[in-house]
Amino acid sequence: MPAALPDASILQILTSAQRPLPSPSAVALELMRALDRRDLGMRDIAKIARKDPALVARMIQLANSAIFAGMRPAVAIEEAVLRIGTDGLARLAIAMSLMQATKSATVEGFDLRRYWMTSIQRGLVFQHLSQRVGKMPSAEAFSLGLLADVGLLAMVVSLGVEAVTSDAAGSLHSLGEQQRARHGFDQGDASAVLLSHWGFPVALAQAVRFRPLPAETGSNREAQLAECVALSRSLQLHPDGMEPDAGRMRRLAEHLALTEADLQGVLASAAQDMASMATVFEMKLEQKEVDAEFDRLRRALAAPPLLLDPVADQVLVVSQDDGLRASLRQALQSAGHAVVDAATPAAATDILQVQGPRVVVLDWADGTEMAGLCRSLRQAHGPRIYLLALSRGMDQHSVLSALDAGANDVLSAPVLPQMLIAKIQTGARATRVLAASEAERSHSQRTQRTLEQRNAELLQAAGTDELTGLGNRRALDAFLPMTFAQALSEGQSLSCLMFDLDEFKVINDRLGHDVGDQALRAVGLVLRQQSRGMDFVARVGGEEFMMLCPQTGVDAALRIAERIRVAIAAPQPDLPPLSVSVGVAVGAAGFPDAASLIRAADQALLQAKRLGRNRVCLAPTSSAAAG
């Protein structure tokens, strides 16, 4: 095996091949360099992006996708930067330009469409995983998952498709071992080297390397980030001949304090977003194609854990005859069984209590004590233990006495090694199947007991804005129609309050995105503190928030809006002066549907902006004004 190559040598191999390596566009690389300049604001980032009109169009489309959509469509690159974030936008520009560079390329024996489909799916999986474990913002997580296996593409181009082809069906990690044996590096190393070369932070670049599964949970953020990347790879779409490794999925999930229900939720969310996200990357996917791809992963994950059961292959030999014990040990060990032995039933009982072997060979020549041991083992363990009796004489009485005491089978001693091994392996297989069946039943019961609780948690996670902890647009879409219909049928008032943080783009430009994020959290905190238990509060865009207040008329809604406006305008430590413009609409009567109520509040918000900001405006309560 060649020695592991240093990163500089790997980069030279990847970039000096006869066939040029697909590279990010000049604009994408300029955006990455701009991240290191703290003097550049959102408008500067937008100005760089405008050098590539196609990139601008795709970023605006991405800003309007399910992951980032606000109440109003984004129509300018500044709005896209605001929703996606500067770091996320720059790193996604790398991926988008790479995909564009390979769009018309062909590599014999390599399915580029499948590669990019898997990359998009892995990006979505990593993004939804990050929401649950709190490691990265959405856009940055999606971009890292999307590019986590860019080294595979680089190795195909520079070394040929055989560099990423496994010698036999196996896992992604077995392929990595073969690559290291052939080339001195694997596709994970290649990915890390390229991401570092393109300007990704060291911690993110190193996280995509293949690593052995640690025995314990990672003790720092970098280790946990690497485990999150590894889990997203385990949950990615696999080519034919490479089955998902459900055991590895579960072990990584345990390290990240995630359950099987969490992983199923991640897959469900990714499947829901897959087709629309593929459209952003100019790839057409039918939903039935997406569902078929995800079904294999869901089935692998839903199957009960494979029983890793060395105990089933351990054999206990009980006999007073030292020579018999030695000969049986030799025969069984040659067949791969672990063997323990005991000279007396009492010693055998102690071994069974401590080590728990489920295959036992009993020397029936030892008389009534052995029959008593056989009977007690059968009573204690039932069918979970395999008992094989060795009888010196195969007369009918001996055989019947052994079977009557609970033995599964009887062999004549001295016994042929082949016959002994065949019987032992049959018994071991039977106990393993029974144990697996019981494990499956227990697994199903545990899953059933926790399903309702986990479903509630998953729904909450999917409907929560990760920055403020408020509801998000998805949660609003689920809550609003039901609440509007209930208010309409019961003749109750339903007030909609729309908030927009004034001059938020100026805050981002002058003070940076960290301060901008703090400002959004501060607004979210005020809204949460000022809301009642029955109210619904959500962040529905970059700097836009909404509060739905059931059973709340015009006067009460205006008082709530004014109270929140004043609270946000109060000076706050480490923040510039903040203010919000508020639009209020009161229904449900007078509005044909929930969307009309929202539009009315939005129009009132725009009126508050036009009148000078930092004020509350009320929408007319009529369907004509709301339309």
Side-chain angles (χ1 to χ4, degrees):
M1 177 184 294
L5 294 178
D7 287 357
S9 299
I10 297 173
L11 183 61
Q12 184 178 9
I13 290 172
L14 297 177
T15 56
S16 61
Q18 290 184 347
R19 183 167 184 168
L21 185 70
S23 299
S25 68
V27 171
L29 292 172
E30 186 178 356
L31 286 169
M32 290 296 294
R33 290 192 296 271
L35 296 181
D36 295 329
R37 294 184 55 184
R38 306 314 299 174
D39 59 317
L40 296 183
M42 182 194 67
R43 295 184 189 280
D44 300 302
I45 298 295
K47 184 177 180 180
I48 295 171
R50 281 201 188 90
K51 296 178 182 180
D52 185 344
L55 175 65
V56 168
R58 287 193 292 275
M59 285 299 177
I60 292 174
Q61 188 179 6
L62 182 63
N64 290 317
S65 67
I67 297 177
F68 303 107
M71 289 304 300
R72 291 186 293 272
V75 295
I77 185 61
E78 287 83 1
E79 293 172 286
V81 176
L82 187 62
R83 291 184 188 178
I84 298 171
T86 53
D87 289 2
L89 183 137
R91 292 166 192 163
L92 285 169
I94 294 284
M96 287 180 169
S97 62
L98 278 175
M99 192 171 184
Q100 198 66 22
T102 61
K103 189 174 180 181
S104 58
T106 57
V107 180
E108 187 176 353
F110 185 71
D111 189 342
L112 272 170
R113 180 181 184 275
R114 176 81 186 187
Y115 167 80
W116 284 114
M117 181 172 72
T118 301
S119 298
I120 293 169
Q121 183 261 0
R122 185 177 54 247
L124 289 169
V125 165
F126 188 67
Q127 183 252 327
H128 288 293
L129 280 174
S130 290
Q131 283 186 345
R132 285 161 171 78
V133 299
K135 295 303 170 196
M136 296 177 70
S138 287
E140 295 176 46
F142 178 66
S143 64
L144 184 61
L146 186 68
L147 293 171
D149 219 8
V150 70
L152 181 149
L153 178 62
M155 291 183 74
V156 166
V157 172
S158 59
L159 301 173
V161 72
E162 61 276 3
V164 298
T165 304
S166 179
D167 292 339
S171 68
L172 189 60
H173 272 259
S174 64
L175 173 60
E177 291 171 0
Q178 293 172 28
Q179 290 171 340
R180 288 189 291 275
R182 296 172 189 160
H183 309 291
F185 66 96
D186 59 41
Q187 61 198 56
D189 296 325
S191 298
V193 167
L194 289 173
L195 292 184
S196 179
H197 180 60
W198 293 331
F200 276 65
V202 173
L204 300 190
Q206 294 303 313
V208 304
R209 291 189 190 270
F210 289 169
R211 304 183 186 195
L213 186 64
E216 298 180 356
T217 302
S219 57
N220 54 46
R221 183 181 183 276
E222 287 74 18
Q224 292 174 356
L225 181 61
E227 289 179 349
C228 202
V229 172
L231 181 54
S232 69
R233 281 193 176 117
S234 293
L235 291 168
Q236 76 182 28
L237 305 179
H238 287 70
D240 294 338
M242 187 178 288
E243 288 300 318
D245 187 345
R248 183 176 177 83
M249 292 179 199
R250 292 190 180 93
R251 291 193 296 275
L252 285 165
E254 288 174 5
H255 285 192
L256 294 166
L258 298 171
T259 67
E260 180 185 318
D262 287 316
L263 300 189
Q264 291 285 8
V266 165
L267 291 176
S269 298
Q272 182 180 355
D273 296 336
M274 182 78 178
S276 61
M277 189 58 71
T279 303
V280 175
F281 287 83
E282 300 180 346
M283 176 182 289
K284 185 176 181 181
L285 290 178
E286 299 293 339
Q287 191 59 45
K288 62 181 181 181
E289 180 183 6
V290 172
D291 292 340
E293 290 286 357
F294 276 86
D295 277 347
R296 187 156 63 120
L297 286 168
R298 293 191 188 103
R299 287 195 300 270
L301 196 56
L306 295 176
L307 196 63
L308 302 175
D309 193 7
V311 174
D313 291 319
Q314 188 180 60
V315 181
L316 170 61
V317 176
V318 188
S319 175
Q320 295 178 5
D321 187 333
D322 294 343
L324 179 63
R325 294 202 310 273
S327 64
L328 293 179
R329 173 187 290 275
Q330 182 179 3
L332 292 170
Q333 286 180 338
S334 68
H337 291 278
V339 181
V340 290
D341 58 44
T344 66
T349 300
D350 291 340
I351 290 172
L352 283 160
Q353 289 177 343
V354 175
Q355 300 184 38
R358 291 199 293 271
V359 178
V360 182
V361 179
L362 304 169
D363 183 1
W364 217 250
D366 291 347
T368 56
E369 283 190 346
M370 200 60 67
L373 175 63
C374 183
R375 190 170 285 107
S376 66
L377 291 178
R378 182 59 68 207
Q379 289 174 350
H381 300 280
R384 299 176 188 85
I385 195 167
Y386 179 81
L387 302 173
L388 176 63
L390 296 184
S391 176
R392 297 291 198 277
M394 287 297 288
D395 59 278
Q396 189 175 23
H397 174 74
S398 298
V399 173
L400 288 176
S401 69
L403 295 175
D404 183 60
N408 293 87
D409 210 340
V410 183
L411 283 180
S412 175
V415 61
L416 288 172
Q418 297 92 328
M419 180 63 72
L420 173 69
I421 291 167
K423 292 288 186 182
I424 292 297
Q425 289 179 344
T426 298
R429 186 162 52 248
T431 62
R432 188 184 294 109
V433 169
L434 180 59
S437 175
E438 291 180 341
E440 179 177 357
R441 186 161 55 250
S442 174
H443 173 76
S444 298
Q445 290 170 349
R446 287 197 306 272
T447 300
Q448 184 64 33
R449 283 195 300 269
T450 61
L451 188 58
E452 290 185 5
Q453 175 188 351
R454 295 306 300 162
N455 277 347
E457 292 172 358
L458 288 169
L459 285 172
Q460 181 180 2
T464 301
D465 173 61
E466 59 196 58
L467 180 65
T468 63
L470 302 176
N472 61 14
R473 180 62 186 270
R474 275 184 176 159
L476 172 66
D477 290 342
F479 182 85
L480 179 59
M482 175 183 62
T483 305
F484 184 87
Q486 182 178 353
L488 198 61
S489 66
E490 296 177 358
Q492 297 278 359
S493 296
L494 174 64
S495 292
C496 175
L497 284 61
M498 290 282 292
F499 301 84
D500 188 280
L501 181 55
D502 296 328
E503 304 291 0
F504 182 58
K505 293 180 177 64
V506 176
I507 294 173
N508 266 324
D509 268 350
R510 292 181 179 174
L511 302 176
H513 283 276
D514 289 343
V515 176
D517 287 349
Q518 291 178 35
L520 292 172
R521 291 191 192 97
V523 172
L525 179 61
V526 171
L527 289 170
R528 189 183 298 110
Q529 291 171 339
Q530 297 287 343
S531 63
R532 305 165 299 177
M534 70 174 70
D535 298 334
F536 174 83
V537 186
R539 180 185 175 206
V540 293
E543 71 273 40
E544 296 174 323
F545 299 82
M546 179 186 292
M547 179 182 287
L548 291 172
C549 302
Q551 302 176 27
T552 304
V554 172
D555 292 341
L558 290 174
R559 284 197 301 271
I560 293 170
E562 180 63 17
R563 186 172 68 237
I564 292 172
R565 185 195 67 78
V566 171
I568 290 172
Q572 301 192 47
D574 303 321
L575 283 176
L578 302 179
S579 68
V580 289
S581 299
V582 191
V584 178
V586 181
F591 294 93
D593 51 36
S596 299
L597 177 66
I598 300 300
R599 283 196 298 272
D602 193 41
Q603 289 300 311
L605 170 62
L606 294 176
Q607 178 69 4
K609 290 281 191 184
R610 284 192 291 268
L611 293 175
R613 301 185 177 88
N614 192 22
R615 67 191 63 229
V616 178
C617 283
L618 175 67
T621 54
S622 71
S623 57

